[in-house]
Amino acid sequence: MQVQPLAELLDGFGVPAAGSIASAAVFVLVFVLVYILGKAIILPIVDRSLKSRDLDTHARRPLKKVVSIGIVFVAISVAFGMAEYGNFLQSLATIAAAATLAIGFAMQDVLQNFVAGVFIYTDKPFRIGDWIEWDGNSGVVEDISLRVTRVRTFDNELLTVPNSNLTDGVIKNPVAKEQLRLKFLFGIGYDDDIDKATEIILEEARDHPEIMDDPEPSVRLVELGDSSVGLQSRIWIEDPNRADFVKTRAEYVKTVKERFDAEDINIPYPNRTIGGGLEMAGLESVVEPADD
């Protein structure tokens, strides 16, 4: 579609500013056409190509976003030329040069998060579907963009976290590896048999189907508290996720507690004894003898 014939047609109908309207109409029509064709043809080809290279969702999603941005850029360039607005690249360079300083100040946080997002994609400290913990928060990663990361908490709340928050601090990813070690501190009384309690803790770990035999469970005496002796159990689970971690630990601790009860091993709790006296002064001036 050309601008001049359309402008002449509009001018023939007495439309004011026919040339400007014709240019705008051509720009919109060409942009929409190129964009739709690009989304319908280019994106599926790119997606099939990425899948054929065995790239996971974490890697495919940002690349597809870059391709989508490229399609928009091409659509604007073609529409700009067809609408006879001049050279799009020259116009873009002029606008960019004039706006660089203002944009730089206004978008410091955005640029910071963008750079942090690039580091997340390249370093891969976590992936979509991973359970992460940071700054007292925890949840499962649902989406990673170039500006923010969306995390679903275990209370089903959605957190939108700026990427810079996840690159400037310490991120804990318990499921990054294929195995996860869990620790739990059992307290027994000072009069109880440490060797017997240790054997019970190990037996219950070996009998649990979700606890690994290799690395094997272990128990260490780590604490002599005010009211108890601390035995720390260390167990390993395979292919960890938070649901398995919570369920396995709860079942394991419950069976150990039941064995302790059956074997008369005490799990003490702190006792506090309050001592002292109470003195009352000046009672003579307040209490009067009763009349006979």
Side-chain angles (χ1 to χ4, degrees):
M1 179 179 293
Q2 295 181 354
V3 175
Q4 188 61 32
L6 182 59
E8 292 176 355
L9 178 63
L10 294 176
D11 188 58
F13 285 101
V15 177
S20 300
I21 295 175
S23 296
V26 170
F27 178 87
V28 172
L29 290 174
V30 173
F31 172 81
V32 171
L33 180 61
V34 174
Y35 179 76
I36 292 176
L37 289 176
K39 295 281 285 188
I41 299 175
I42 303 300
L43 273 184
I45 294 175
V46 171
D47 191 44
R48 287 195 297 269
S49 176
L50 295 176
K51 288 182 179 179
S52 67
R53 297 176 182 273
D54 295 328
L55 294 179
D56 57 16
T57 303
H58 176 89
R60 292 202 310 269
R61 188 168 297 180
L63 292 176
K64 291 171 65 177
K65 288 182 179 179
V66 171
V67 173
S68 297
I69 294 173
I71 292 174
V72 172
F73 183 81
V74 172
I76 293 175
S77 300
V78 174
F80 212 85
M82 294 294 293
E84 299 181 358
Y85 285 144
N87 191 302
F88 173 69
L89 295 178
Q90 291 181 355
S91 301
L92 183 63
T94 304
I95 296 172
T100 297
L101 185 60
I103 292 175
F105 282 110
M107 299 184 63
Q108 286 183 1
D109 292 339
V110 175
L111 293 175
Q112 182 181 8
N113 290 320
F114 177 84
V115 174
V118 172
F119 283 127
I120 289 175
Y121 283 118
T122 55
D123 295 343
K124 298 180 181 179
F126 52 84
R127 297 172 177 269
I128 295 174
D130 282 359
W131 152 37
I132 63 172
E133 298 178 1
W134 80 100
D135 293 339
N137 300 298
S138 62
V140 177
V141 179
E142 287 199 344
D143 182 54
I144 305 172
S145 69
L146 290 174
R147 190 179 65 85
V148 297
T149 295
R150 292 175 178 84
V151 180
R152 179 73 62 178
T153 71
F154 301 112
D155 294 327
N156 204 33
E157 300 169 332
L158 182 63
L159 302 182
T160 301
V161 188
N163 286 331
S164 59
N165 290 8
L166 299 177
T167 55
D168 293 342
V170 176
I171 299 295
K172 181 179 178 181
N173 187 347
V175 297
K177 303 299 181 181
E178 295 180 354
Q179 299 173 351
L180 175 66
R181 188 179 74 175
L182 306 179
K183 296 187 291 185
F184 191 86
L185 184 65
F186 294 97
I188 65 174
Y190 273 89
D191 295 331
D192 292 317
D193 190 332
I194 294 177
D195 293 335
K196 183 178 181 181
T198 299
E199 186 58 32
I200 290 174
I201 296 172
L202 291 175
E203 286 179 0
E204 294 305 320
R206 297 188 186 105
D207 291 341
H208 196 289
E210 301 300 327
I211 296 177
M212 300 177 62
D213 295 328
D214 185 20
E216 64 180 6
S218 64
V219 178
R220 297 288 185 271
L221 195 159
V222 296
E223 181 180 284
L224 296 176
D226 294 336
S227 58
S228 65
V229 176
L231 300 177
Q232 187 180 79
S233 172
R234 302 177 181 182
I235 58 176
W236 292 80
I237 63 174
E238 196 170 13
D239 296 329
N241 62 56
R242 187 177 187 275
D244 291 341
F245 150 63
V246 174
K247 178 175 177 289
T248 300
R249 187 177 67 174
E251 292 175 348
Y252 171 56
V253 173
K254 178 183 178 183
T255 56
V256 172
K257 171 65 168 59
E258 291 172 347
R259 282 288 306 278
F260 278 3
D261 293 341
E263 301 289 343
D264 294 326
I265 294 179
N266 182 38
I267 301 180
Y269 52 87
N271 293 308
R272 297 289 184 268
T273 301
I274 300 177
L278 180 64
E279 296 184 359
M280 305 293 290
L283 292 179
E284 295 82 358
S285 62
V286 176
V287 180
E288 297 180 354
D291 296 333
D292 293 335

